[in-house]
Amino acid sequence: MKESIVQKKSFEFSLKIISLYKKLQQEREFVISNQILRSGTSIGANIEEALAGQSKRDFTAKMSISSKEARETKYWLRLLKESEITSIDVDSLILNIDELIRILTSIVKTSQQNLTKS
């Protein structure tokens, strides 16, 4: 099966989050780094589950969870940036997560509309 755009983008984002996590750990920032690792990698994991969903409702639910995880990840990234507890530039990651949020929001809305039509 061909990899979807959201699947590819979420996997690439997860790799970037892992890299950020390692840098934060080196700076001895443990709380936010753990939170961002969990939520940031959960996005792609839930997308993978959605693509293997047993029903349209299951697909929609998993994509909705991915969307929520993406929004949580954006929160942690914004907190890192605004708190200035690190000098690591997270602006490109914020742009990446904004793109993922837009894609996931569109998928969830379309999926929900298709559910009500069935």
Side-chain angles (χ1 to χ4, degrees), residues 54-81:
Q54 297 174 346
S55 66
K56 289 179 183 179
R57 191 171 304 283
D58 188 33
F59 173 86
T60 304
K62 295 292 187 211
M63 283 297 188
S64 181
I65 292 168
S66 289
S67 178
K68 290 176 183 180
E69 293 291 340
R71 291 170 191 281
E72 179 183 343
T73 302
K74 182 177 180 179
Y75 171 81
W76 294 119
L77 288 169
R78 287 180 47 232
L79 198 58
L80 268 179
K81 179 180 177 174

Side-chain angles (χ1 to χ4, degrees), residues 25-41:
Q25 290 283 302
Q26 288 171 351
E27 291 187 9
R28 305 189 55 75
E29 199 310 299
F30 301 113
V31 175
I32 294 177
S33 65
N34 286 328
Q35 291 289 344
I36 213 163
L37 179 68
R38 284 189 192 99
S39 65
T41 57

Side-chain angles (χ1 to χ4, degrees), residues 1-8 48 51:
M1 185 171 114
K2 187 179 172 191
E3 188 176 48
S4 73
I5 292 171
V6 72
Q7 186 180 25
K8 182 177 188 281
E48 291 289 335
L51 294 173

Side-chain angles (χ1 to χ4, degrees), residues 34 43 59 83 90 103:
N34 286 328
I43 300 163
F59 173 86
S83 68
V90 295
I103 293 168

